């Protein structure tokens, strides 16, 4: 049975709104007839990518694994291999299937990943149920 943890989307909707300004600008300045609508296709690509990232960012926990997904970033971590979690931190480079700041950095093996659930404590408690040896900082 999978337990879903909601992702914190932060103010990511601002990126979606701003990405809609380019097609509007092109639409008002370039398009004079229906034959010119093909100019809008390249300008809509950033908007589609932002919407895809926004709606696909999710986290799940089952009996043995922590699953994460954000657009084309997808993977799973064996919960037993998680060594340490740093709360209310932001990883500025590396693997970040997250849309907000003040999430958590999960360290496992020699790797680390940044996730930003709505409630950090809820995710920590769910992980500690499976692996009570995780160090919380």
């Amino acid at each position: 049975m999978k337990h879903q943890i909601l992702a914190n989307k932060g103010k990511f909707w601002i990126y979606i709104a701003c990405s809609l300004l380019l097609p509007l600008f092109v639409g008002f300045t370039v398009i004079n007839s229906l034959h010119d609508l093909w100019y809008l296709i390249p300008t809509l690509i950033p908007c589609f990518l932002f919407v895809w990232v926004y709606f696909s960012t999710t986290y799940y926990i089952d009996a043995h694994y922590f699953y994460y997904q954000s657009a084309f970033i997808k993977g799973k971590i064996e919960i037993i291999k998680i060594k340490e979690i740093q709360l209310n931190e932001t990883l500025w480079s590396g693997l970040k299937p997250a849309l907000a700041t003040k999430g958590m950095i999960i360290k496992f093996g020699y790797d680390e990943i940044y996730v930003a659930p709505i409630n950090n404590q809820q995710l920590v408690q769910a992980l500690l149920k499976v692996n009570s040896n995780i160090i919380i900082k």
Side-chain angles (χ1 to χ4, degrees):
M1 182 176 121
K2 288 187 177 181
H3 176 67
Q4 182 177 11
I5 306 293
L6 297 176
N8 185 358
K9 310 289 180 155
K11 292 181 171 72
F12 197 77
W13 62 270
I14 294 172
Y15 292 111
I16 296 171
C18 289
S19 70
L20 287 174
L21 293 177
L22 181 63
L24 288 174
F25 177 74
V26 169
F28 286 124
T29 58
V30 175
I31 296 176
N32 295 324
S33 69
L34 290 176
H35 298 291
D36 294 333
L37 283 177
W38 66 273
Y39 286 114
L40 285 179
I41 293 171
T43 63
L44 288 172
I45 291 172
C47 182
F48 288 134
L49 289 174
F50 286 139
V51 168
W52 179 32
V53 169
Y54 186 83
F55 287 109
S56 70
T57 302
T58 56
Y59 310 116
Y60 293 98
I61 293 177
D62 70 4
H64 302 287
Y65 291 98
F66 170 67
Y67 298 89
Y68 57 89
Q69 179 176 359
S70 182
F72 50 85
I73 300 172
K74 184 177 182 180
K76 66 181 179 179
I77 301 168
E78 195 171 358
I79 298 174
I80 294 297
K81 293 184 179 180
I82 296 176
K83 304 286 186 220
E84 178 183 321
I85 296 177
Q86 295 177 353
L87 294 175
N88 299 318
E89 295 284 333
T90 302
L91 184 66
W92 296 107
S93 64
L95 188 57
K96 291 179 55 172
L99 303 176
T101 58
K102 299 293 181 193
M104 62 177 61
I105 300 171
I106 300 175
K107 296 185 177 189
F108 57 101
Y110 294 106
D111 295 322
E112 60 186 11
I113 187 170
Y114 175 76
V115 296
I118 287 179
N119 186 344
N120 287 343
Q121 292 300 325
Q122 179 186 8
L123 178 57
V124 168
Q125 294 303 320
L127 291 172
L128 286 174
K129 286 179 185 176
V130 179
N131 181 2
S132 60
N133 296 326
I134 299 174
I135 300 168
I136 308 298
K137 289 187 176 181

